[in-house]
Amino acid sequence: ARLEENFEAKESEPMSESATLDCLAAAGKYLTFRLGDEEYGIEILKVREIIGMMGVTRVPRAPACVRGVINLRGKVIPVVDLRTVFEMDFKDYNGRTCIVVVQVATKSAEIVLGIIVDEVSEVIDVKGEEIEPPPSFGEAATNEMFHGMAKRAGRVLIMLDIDRVVTGNELSWLRRQNQDVA
């Protein structure tokens, strides 16, 4: 509810021309999923596949958000728990918990990784006029992980820029793991 209050307050402020262009550029097809009570979306072109939750092998000294690795048809793929990245409480995995395998672009490489989500919803088409820039929370780094917020049927969809969700130490660890298995 708090996110929606901030979102509605922002609605009355005019958008800058660059913010409008960014929102139009973010339009397209998104895979939607849930973490807790919130709905998120990832550009469908970043999604390689969706698999049910499976055994994850812990890796010593991995960053906290990295749950471990899985063997997906002979390829070792690191798995990140989005709840940990977003500093949400841990929730036991159930029959709806999924791993969404995504391709993340970094400055130096493409990384394939799995992200654990509570539940996959659907693929939707988000139009540019439905998108608003993310509200300012004071930290530019926080806002960088969002393409924007889409208003759809009385709810808010948080549109993630998956290339920027995992950063810093986690990203360098993932890059090293990707090089080791390449």
Side-chain angles (χ1 to χ4, degrees):
R2 181 177 209 137
L3 178 61
E4 289 175 14
E5 288 169 15
N6 288 339
F7 191 67
E8 288 173 12
K10 186 126 179 131
E11 191 171 49
S12 62
E13 299 171 18
M15 278 197 289
S16 71
E17 188 174 328
S18 72
T20 302
L21 292 175
D22 289 345
C23 290
L24 291 173
K29 293 198 180 298
Y30 282 78
L31 173 72
T32 62
F33 61 89
R34 298 191 82 66
L35 284 178
D37 293 332
E38 305 304 328
E39 189 173 22
Y40 296 83
I42 300 175
E43 293 172 278
I44 196 69
L45 294 175
K46 296 287 186 176
V47 177
R48 296 193 62 187
E49 64 185 292
I50 302 164
I51 58 176
M53 195 61 203
M54 59 191 302
V56 177
T57 304
R58 295 283 303 158
V59 177
R61 300 183 68 185
C65 70
V66 177
R67 188 63 59 207
V69 295
I70 58 172
N71 179 349
L72 186 62
R73 292 184 295 283
K75 183 160 174 93
V76 176
I77 298 174
V79 177
V80 172
D81 192 327
L82 276 188
R83 284 183 155 275
T84 306
V85 172
F86 295 158
E87 299 176 357
M88 300 170 81
D89 292 334
F90 178 80
K91 177 182 173 190
D92 288 332
Y93 303 142
N94 61 37
R96 295 188 173 275
T97 306
C98 294
I99 299 174
V100 179
V101 180
V102 295
Q103 187 151 352
V104 177
T106 69
K107 291 178 183 173
S108 58
E110 295 275 328
I111 298 173
V112 175
L113 62 99
I115 57 171
I116 300 173
V117 302
D118 292 349
E119 176 181 344
V120 170
S121 301
E122 61 184 328
V123 175
I124 61 172
D125 193 14
V126 180
K127 296 172 180 53
E129 60 270 10
E130 295 175 314
I131 305 170
E132 297 276 339
S136 176
F137 296 112
E139 275 190 55
T142 302
N143 283 348
E144 287 178 1
M145 74 172 68
F146 305 120
H147 281 302
M149 307 290 176
K151 299 180 290 188
R152 296 186 53 87
R155 65 183 205 250
V156 175
L157 172 69
I158 303 167
M159 302 166 61
L160 296 177
D161 181 348
I162 198 65
D163 292 339
R164 296 177 181 221
V165 168
V166 180
T167 59
N169 292 335
E170 297 93 1
L171 191 54
S172 61
W173 187 90
L174 290 168
R175 259 193 237 119
R176 282 194 308 276
Q177 300 314 304
N178 213 16
Q179 291 169 351
D180 291 346
V181 295

